């Protein structure tokens, strides 16, 4: 479904910094893929390259064999950014209509979807709320609804559970699980390990722009009685040595 | 280009329009322009037998200044604000090209300028009607040309804002507007200058927009109406210059990273 090949990105500043370093990975259809790493590991940069906000210096990204920048590929994905922001003057319904129209959906089709989507993300009845009146958690929920507006095959979620209260986190995890049951592919970046353990089929651990380990949560934990958190800390510490 | 290609540009344009018309700054500017235009009645009343001329000069100049201010303050900030607030993610991650987004932004701004110009024009023509008991067709032409000038400057402002900060973009656009209105003088000086300076001034004359082509303000008092040839020439100049500027801005925007 999603394939990254030898992806490299350098930020040219006073001191050039290779943020993503020759990264390759494959996400299979119907898989929930956790992209794990400390702050600054290169997760958001990778996600931004996948959705076309940044351009890789080297390497390729394909979505169902289409180049990720092609309209056909973009038509298949839904994206939720880290700390999402919306046009302050738009209401919840207007944001969803705006996003839906960019996917070529008819207004009637979008309007029919809105109550259902808002129900799914826990914003039922908030159609007329202005974006500027919303809390951070509500922004997260609206961003999830925007990511689902086109019924995407592939969901790309950047730190989706960040900034949510415990109830919100639980709702989102249930939602991701229900999307998985519908056969959707989910690629999400996070640094919260308990979330990964609960909902991911595959996990890749990223450090300094490189994948240092990949496998199922069980494979990563191994036969020991360690938690994924302990394994993660061990791996990152080893690399730093 | 399929209908959907233009529909998406329309979606971006309408959203841009909605964003700007819900901005209090725009209304403040239009209200202030309205006050200045209304004040032309007062200025006209104290001039001896030149009241219509004064109202025309005052009103049309006020419209030019306020349309320029709208272009500088709204136009040059728009893309920057989208990037700063990260709202640009909402559109650019969808199946839409960077060109469509850029063009949509431009057209949305043009629509905002048109609406602002219509609001000011209604007031200005109303003041003129109150004084002359008639509608000046030449004033309507002058306003139409003013709108074209503002649209051209909007394209320039967007181009600057695709690589410079809002303040720098506004300063560059303002300087370009000043140079553009001095085109005739620049040409005259060039013809009387030494060869090296002549080359530079002629370069400035040809590269910078000749905004005097859009200036019918002085002719309004003589009831001047442009003929078809002049209208086609001005429209052609506007389209040619604006398309080149939009193309250059689009090229830069295509490679921008967010």
């Amino acid at each position: 479904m999603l394939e990254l090949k030898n992806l490299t990105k350098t930020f040219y500043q006073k001191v050039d910094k290779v943020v993503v370093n020759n990264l390759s990975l494959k996400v299979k259809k119907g898989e929930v893929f956790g992209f794990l790493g400390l702050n600054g590991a290169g997760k958001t940069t990778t996600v931004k390259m996948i959705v076309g906000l940044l351009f890789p210096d080297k390497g390729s990204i394909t979505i169902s064999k289409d180049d990720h920048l092609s309209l056909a590929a973009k038509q298949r994905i839904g994206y939720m950014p880290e700390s999402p922001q919306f046009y302050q003057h738009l209401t919840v319904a207007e944001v969803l209509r705006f996003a839906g129209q960019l996917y070529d959906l008819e207004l009637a089709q979008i309007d029919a979807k809105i109550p259902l989507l808002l129900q799914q993300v826990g914003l039922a009845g908030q159609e007329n709320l202005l974006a500027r009146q919303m809390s951070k958690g509500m922004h997260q929920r609206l961003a999830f609804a925007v990511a689902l507006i086109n019924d995407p095959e592939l969901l790309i979620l950047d730190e989706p559970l960040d900034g949510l209260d415990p109830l919100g986190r639980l709702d989102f995890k249930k939602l991701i699980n229900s999307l998985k049951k519908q056969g959707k592919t989910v690629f999400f970046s996070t640094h919260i390990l308990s979330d990964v353990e609960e909902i991911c089929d595959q996990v890749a651990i990223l450090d300094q722009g490189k994948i240092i380990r990949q496998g199922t949560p069980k494979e990563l934990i191994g036969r020991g009685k360690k938690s994924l958190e302990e394994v993660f800390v061990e791996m990152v510490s080893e690399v730093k040595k | 280009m399929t209908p959907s290609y233009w529909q998406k540009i329309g979606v971006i344009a309408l959203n841009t329009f909605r964003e700007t018309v819900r901005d209090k700054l725009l209304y403040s500017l239009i209200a202030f322009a309205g006050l200045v235009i209304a004040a032309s009645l007062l200025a006209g009343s104290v001039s001896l037998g030149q009241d219509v001329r004064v109202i025309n000069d005052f009103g049309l100049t006020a419209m030019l200044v306020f349309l320029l201010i709208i272009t500088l303050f709204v136009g040059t900030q728009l893309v920057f604000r989208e990037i700063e607030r990260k709202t640009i993610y909402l559109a650019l991650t969808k199946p839409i090209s960077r060109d469509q987004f850029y063009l949509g932004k431009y057209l949305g701004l043009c629509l905002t300028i048109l609406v602002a110009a219509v609001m000011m024009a209604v007031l200005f023509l109303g003041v003129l009607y109150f004084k002359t008991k008639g509608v000046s067709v030449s004033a309507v032409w002058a306003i139409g040309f003013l709108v074209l000038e503002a649209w051209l400057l909007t394209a320039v402002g967007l181009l600057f804002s695709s690589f410079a900060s809002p303040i720098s973009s506004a300063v560059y656009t303002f300087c370009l507007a000043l140079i553009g209105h001095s085109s005739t003088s620049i040409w005259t000086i060039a013809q009387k200058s030494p060869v090296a300076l002549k080359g530079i001034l002629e370069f400035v004359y040809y590269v910078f927009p000749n905004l005097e082509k859009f200036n019918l303000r002085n002719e309004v008092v003589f009831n001047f109406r442009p003929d078809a040839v002049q209208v086609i020439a001005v429209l052609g100049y506007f389209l040619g210059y604006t398309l080149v500027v939009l193309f250059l801005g689009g090229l830069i925007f295509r490679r921008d990273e967010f």
Side-chain angles (χ1 to χ4, degrees), chain B residues 64-234:
Chain B
L64 170 71
V65 170
F66 281 98
L67 286 180
L68 182 63
I69 291 174
I70 291 171
T71 303
L72 295 181
F73 283 89
V74 182
T76 57
Q77 279 187 27
L78 213 62
V79 174
F80 181 83
R81 224 164 40 181
E82 286 250 9
I83 298 166
E84 200 183 44
R85 292 182 186 168
K86 296 181 182 174
T87 47
I88 202 163
Y89 294 3
L90 190 61
L92 288 188
T93 54
K94 307 288 176 286
I96 177 172
S97 70
R98 298 265 177 118
D99 293 346
Q100 282 172 298
F101 180 83
Y102 192 79
L103 195 57
K105 281 275 148 198
Y106 172 68
L107 293 177
L109 278 171
C110 286
L111 188 58
T112 307
I113 284 167
L114 181 67
V115 169
V118 167
M119 288 167 83
M120 288 185 227
V122 166
L123 193 68
F124 167 63
L125 294 173
V127 167
L128 215 53
Y129 184 82
F130 176 76
K131 202 71 196 172
T132 62
K133 303 290 176 236
V135 175
S136 166
V137 179
S138 57
V140 175
W141 275 108
I143 293 166
F145 277 33
L146 261 181
V147 171
L148 288 182
E149 179 183 335
W151 285 350
L152 187 151
L153 287 172
T154 301
V156 172
L158 258 188
L159 167 69
F160 288 139
S161 71
S162 58
F163 62 84
S165 70
I167 292 174
S168 306
S169 305
V171 171
Y172 298 154
T173 310
F174 180 69
C175 292
L176 192 126
L178 282 184
I179 296 170
H181 276 291
S182 314
S183 290
T184 316
S185 313
I186 290 171
W187 180 256
T188 311
I189 296 166
Q191 301 319 305
K192 294 174 183 170
S193 303
V195 183
L197 186 60
K198 186 182 176 189
I200 294 168
L201 290 173
E202 283 188 355
F203 174 79
V204 169
Y205 177 82
Y206 285 116
V207 170
F208 286 72
N210 184 349
L211 299 177
E212 279 304 294
K213 285 188 190 293
F214 303 98
N215 183 3
L216 290 184
R217 292 186 296 282
N218 299 329
E219 282 78 19
V220 168
V221 76
F222 306 114
N223 237 349
F224 172 82
R225 294 174 198 184
D227 57 21
V229 175
Q230 187 182 358
V231 172
I232 290 168
V234 170

Side-chain angles (χ1 to χ4, degrees), chain A residues 143-157:
Chain A
F144 210 143
V146 168
L148 293 172
I149 189 78
N150 59 325
D151 195 16
E153 293 169 35
L154 169 64
L155 266 160
I156 296 170
L157 313 172

Side-chain angles (χ1 to χ4, degrees), chain A residues 175-187:
Chain A
L175 188 52
I176 294 173
N177 274 325
S178 88
L179 290 166
K180 187 184 162 187
K181 282 179 190 156
Q182 291 169 37
K184 308 279 184 205
T185 311
V186 182
F187 177 87

Side-chain angles (χ1 to χ4, degrees), chain A residues 90-148:
Chain A
L90 293 189
T91 63
V92 166
E94 284 171 338
V95 167
L96 289 166
R97 281 190 203 114
F98 174 71
Q101 283 178 295
L102 295 178
Y103 283 108
D104 278 334
L105 298 176
E106 298 289 334
L107 272 178
Q109 219 179 333
I110 301 168
D111 285 345
K113 272 186 170 191
I114 288 175
L116 186 70
L117 280 174
L118 294 183
Q119 179 81 45
Q120 275 184 302
V121 299
L123 283 178
Q126 305 290 345
E127 285 89 339
N128 297 319
L129 195 67
L130 282 167
R132 65 166 170 263
Q133 297 168 324
M134 291 165 67
S135 66
K136 191 184 172 192
M138 290 170 107
H139 275 137
Q140 296 275 105
R141 290 170 185 271
L142 177 56
F144 210 143
V146 168
L148 293 172

Side-chain angles (χ1 to χ4, degrees), chain A residues 193-194 197 213 216-238 241:
Chain A
L193 297 148
S194 57
E197 226 168 334
R213 196 69 66 88
T216 64
K218 276 185 185 171
E219 282 168 355
L220 294 183
I221 294 167
R223 287 181 185 175
K225 287 181 181 174
K226 290 176 184 170
S227 69
L228 186 58
E229 194 164 7
E230 287 167 318
V231 174
F232 174 75
V233 172
E234 266 178 27
M235 284 177 193
V236 174
S237 311
E238 271 174 38
K241 281 176 193 169

